[in-house]
């Protein structure tokens, strides 16, 4: 595991803040969790994979106070299990400040499951987070970060349903961020769209049982990765920290690429917004 430097110039003091990260056992979610712990936050590591999750928790305990994290086995695709994960986090740590809806899969063969994990669970995770954090419900505000992908902005021919789910995450996040602002939820909601990241997820293109008929693109996807380059999770962590630190960011669509680093998608000004009485 690479060493992640503690971010410098943090404005939001993360000490004692409580974060829930889905898909935290490995890859980007694990790097997020590690960085949050390094900044003094408490983290609920939520993941479907018990063995990888327990191994991750054990390794993190070697470096950080074991009482600052908890591993919760949970399939984010199950409403009951996700609800339970939020409740356990609140019961153990007493509050909730940051939610990273990060868990995702790349499975064009079982595309219904891809929609459930990549999009439905992100919507559900956002609504559950708002239930606890929104000032409308007596909460104290917070930050939600929903993980999309560059496939949330551009079409990926090797993953039409993955593309659909990530476009959905971007659209939902921009809209609910506007809602949050208009209705004074006090919760900032943003999305991150990385290009190829060096995690186990990228290997899914090798498996026909996951890619179905799009497996024919296996070699061209590898050529694309070679052409555009592979990002390290540490750069995605820097993007997360920027979102946590910069209070004006709400509804932002952060893109992260090898050529341009961390930058933002620029949209036309939103013309149609309801008025609040
Ligand atoms: N790796 C990339 O190239 C890349 C690029 C852009 C966006 N992303 C997105 O980043 C996010 C994290 O991906 P990663 O690259 O770290 O992948 P990864 O496969 O390394 O890690 C994903 C984690 O999510 C967990 N998970 C999967 N399904 C789950 C479920 N139903 N319930 C709970 N946990 C579940 C897995 O067990 C795993 O620990 C995903 O949303 C992915 O779409 C990845």
């Amino acid at each position: 595991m690479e060493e992640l430097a503690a971010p410098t110039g943090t404005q939001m003091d993360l000490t004692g803040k409580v974060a829930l990260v889905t898909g935290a056992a490995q890859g980007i979610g694990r790097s997020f969790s590690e960085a949050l712990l390094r900044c003094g936050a408490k983290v609920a590591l939520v993941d479907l994979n018990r063995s990888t999750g327990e191994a991750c928790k054990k390794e993190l305990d070697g470096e950080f106070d074991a009482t600052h994290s908890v591993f919760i086995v949970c399939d984010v695709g199950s409403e009951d299990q996700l609800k339970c994960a939020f409740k356990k986090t609140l019961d153990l740590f007493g509050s909730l400040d940051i939610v990273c809806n990060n868990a995702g899969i790349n499975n064009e063969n079982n595309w219904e499951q891809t929609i459930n994990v990549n999009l439905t669970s992100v919507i559900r995770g956002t609504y559950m987070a708002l239930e606890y954090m929104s000032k409308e419900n007596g909460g104290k505000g917070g930050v939600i970060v929903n993980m999309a992908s560059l496939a949330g902005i551009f079409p990926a021919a090797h993953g039409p349903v993955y593309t659909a789910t990530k476009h959905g995450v971007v659209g939902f996040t921009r809209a609910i961020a506007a809602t949050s602002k208009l209705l004074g939820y006090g919760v900032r909601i943003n999305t991150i769209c990385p290009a190829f990241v060096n995690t186990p997820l990228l290997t899914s293109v090798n498996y026909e049982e996951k890619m179905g008929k799009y497996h024919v693109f296996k070699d061209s996807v590898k050529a694309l990765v070679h052409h555009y380059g592979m990002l390290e999770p540490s750069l995605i962590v820097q993007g997360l920290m920027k979102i946590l630190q910069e209070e004006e960011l709400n509804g932002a669509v952060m893109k992260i690429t090898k050529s341009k680093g961390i930058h933002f998608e620029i949209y036309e000004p939103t013309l149609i917004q309801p008025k609040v009485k």
Side-chain angles (χ1 to χ4, degrees):
M1 195 71 198
E2 74 197 287
E3 183 62 25
L4 296 174
T8 53
T10 304
Q11 289 144 31
M12 180 189 187
D13 184 6
L14 292 170
T15 313
K17 295 273 192 255
V18 178
L20 182 154
V21 180
T22 69
Q26 68 178 30
I28 296 169
R30 176 175 166 150
S31 295
F32 278 3
S33 305
E34 204 170 325
L36 288 163
L37 285 166
R38 186 160 286 122
C39 290
K42 295 177 179 168
V43 183
L45 312 153
V46 175
D47 205 288
L48 175 71
N49 189 329
R50 181 184 289 276
S51 54
T52 311
E54 283 175 351
C56 167
K57 164 76 176 141
K58 203 170 163 193
E59 281 177 37
L60 293 175
D61 287 352
E63 197 176 345
F64 307 103
D65 187 331
T67 65
H68 286 189
S69 69
V70 60
F71 171 56
I72 302 172
V73 190
C74 161
D75 177 353
V76 298
S78 151
E79 181 174 6
D80 286 347
Q81 289 184 34
L82 191 57
K83 208 180 263 179
C84 206
F86 271 85
K87 191 176 176 309
K88 275 187 190 159
T89 306
L90 264 292
D91 287 349
L92 184 68
F93 295 133
S95 71
L96 187 63
D97 305 285
I98 298 160
V99 171
C100 301
N101 290 303
N102 162 75
I105 56 171
N106 187 19
N107 190 332
E108 293 294 320
N109 221 7
N110 190 347
W111 58 265
E112 294 93 338
Q113 191 195 1
T114 299
I115 293 174
N116 192 32
V117 175
N118 290 11
L119 180 58
T120 307
S121 84
V122 170
I123 295 173
R124 221 178 246 142
T126 303
Y127 282 149
M128 287 181 190
L130 286 173
E131 218 176 291
Y132 291 106
M133 301 196 303
S134 171
K135 291 185 176 170
E136 216 188 29
N137 304 332
K140 58 182 167 49
V143 187
I144 300 171
V145 180
N146 291 335
M147 184 54 69
S149 158
L150 269 198
I153 299 168
F154 304 109
H158 59 278
V161 173
Y162 186 83
T163 300
T165 62
K166 296 303 185 178
H167 272 66
V169 170
V170 169
F172 170 74
T173 304
R174 293 180 67 211
I176 195 75
T179 313
S180 178
K181 188 176 174 196
L182 285 168
L183 297 183
Y185 292 173
V187 180
R188 297 190 294 111
I189 315 170
N190 295 284
T191 187
I192 304 183
C193 298
F196 301 115
V197 189
N198 188 8
T199 72
L201 184 115
L202 261 192
T203 62
S204 50
V205 296
N206 290 322
Y207 302 105
E208 194 165 1
E209 66 271 25
K210 290 198 173 156
M211 298 314 291
K213 63 179 162 190
Y214 306 109
H215 190 240
V216 292
F217 291 118
K218 174 170 70 91
D219 292 332
S220 54
V221 172
K222 284 179 185 160
L224 280 178
V225 176
H226 184 73
H227 178 77
Y228 287 107
M230 194 140 64
L231 305 166
E232 287 305 320
S234 55
L235 186 61
I236 320 304
V237 168
Q238 284 179 33
L240 171 74
M241 289 300 162
K242 188 174 173 66
I243 286 174
L244 298 182
Q245 287 160 20
E246 298 188 7
E247 297 282 342
E248 72 281 4
L249 290 178
N250 182 50
V253 178
M254 175 183 279
K255 292 190 286 184
I256 309 184
T257 61
K258 196 87 177 170
S259 57
K260 293 190 181 165
I262 295 170
H263 58 295
F264 292 92
E265 179 73 351
I266 308 296
Y267 292 94
E268 295 274 316
T270 308
L271 298 176
I272 310 162
Q273 287 294 9
K275 294 240 178 319
V276 183
K277 278 188 245 164

